[in-house]
Amino acid sequence: MLILHTHRPHHLALAIALAFGGIDMSHAQQTEPAVTETKPSPVKARKPAKPKPDAQNSARQPISDVLATTAVESITADNRQALPVPDPLPVDTMYDTNEPTASEGLSAALTSELPAELATNALDVSLESAATTDNARQVANSLETDKPGTTQTPKADANNAAINALLTSDTENAAIALEQLAGVSNANLATATLSSARPVSASMLSTMRELSDDASLLDRSATGHETNGRVWVQALGNSATLDDKLDDSALRQRTHGVVVGADWSLDSEWRVGLLGGKSQTRLDGVLLDGDLDSWHLGAYALRQSGPLALRLGATYSSHSGTTKRNVAFSRYSDRLKGSYNASSQQVFAELGYNLGSGAFQVEPFANLGHEHYQRDSYREKGGAAALKVDEQTQRNFNSIFGLRLAHRSDLENGMSLTPRMSAGWKHTYGDVSSHVRQFFLAGSESFYVEGIALDRNSLTLEAGLDLAVSKQHFLSVAYNGEKGSNSRDNSVMGQWRMSF
């Protein structure tokens, strides 16, 4: 059955356009199949919209032109839809350039510097794993939580600029930062101070050994005075190095000072004396500099009974010290200063027996000594890296077994020259470690750091030359040294003595 539709004029035009468009499209596919399949027209990000045709121009344009234009646009539209183009990779999502905050921890800082495929291993980095020494690990443990597998949260105040700079450092800078923040050299103050005070005891012992060489000083009738007194002045210089090659805590100290003493005879066997002195010490290290002012008091006694000599001595020293530390890593730097008071005591007893005769002396000896050091706690002044350093105490017994040689030569002009030398083996008993407890003033848990240990065994050396200018005046110069695996100590002393 035939159905009749009533068409309006524009419906008829549309039908004709579709019919001609299908013919043109079929013709285009037959003549250029390769172009449509292998060479699609390029896609532009945005094609500017074509301006709408003017009404009058549209009315004048032939229908055939309209049909051809419609066919071309249809082909182009089909090709564009068939070739979708993926979105470009956003550049700003490849790396996170934002700086991690202190709460994100060291691992977050390391992750932000690596590509995504390499960031997996960096997420497990912690402060403790970045530390390269035991002391650095002590600091790391005091700053981060003990929960494994989680982003570390600092136990200290996150607003601390030093700790914040540490937590946002890479692994290499974090290792340096932990070593500097530890303040390891603070634990070496005890050893360095005792080393600076030992020349005072050495000068006292040297004086008594010289008395043994000149037995006439024990005889009151030798100088015609009932007391047979003597005064002496001694200048001393000392240089010591503490270095165990394990970290950057190596410390050098240089000491210079003067000691004044006097002694007199009690009887034909006993002689006693007193001394006082002042010395200044300069501390130089990789991580610490400082100064030490010391005052010394001492007393000694000698009992000479034939070839047997007993020498006793004790010294007390008062020390006032200052320290300076430079902390510089990543974007943080600080200058820290400390001031403290300390005291030290040294006591010794030596027994020697002269096997020689006349001008030649061969004396084996045994020496037993005790050293004690006590330092008050102090607070560093400076920035966020400042530490509170707890008090420090160190005490040890030691023994020295050795042999001493001396030979007196009488000169033609009435003077005499006595070269002497000795060597001994020193052994230190008890705990030889040197440690101190500290914490950051800005807030943290306390931690212990270990300094350079005392030498368990060391070699002691002495070499001297005594010149008797007259019966009343004497000059002498001597070298004292101690060599161990962790320290080297060298002292030079010059003395003038006068008998009356």
Side-chain angles (χ1 to χ4, degrees), residues 461-477:
L461 298 171
E462 181 185 8
L465 189 64
D466 301 330
L467 176 63
V469 180
S470 64
K471 291 184 178 181
Q472 287 79 31
H473 298 279
F474 300 83
L475 296 175
S476 66
V477 61

Side-chain angles (χ1 to χ4, degrees), residues 93-96 104 106-126 151 171:
T93 60
M94 295 179 65
Y95 300 93
D96 184 9
E104 291 177 351
L106 177 63
S107 60
L110 296 175
T111 304
S112 65
E113 297 181 5
L114 298 175
E117 63 271 16
L118 300 178
T120 303
N121 295 332
L123 290 174
D124 297 331
V125 174
S126 64
T151 301
T171 305

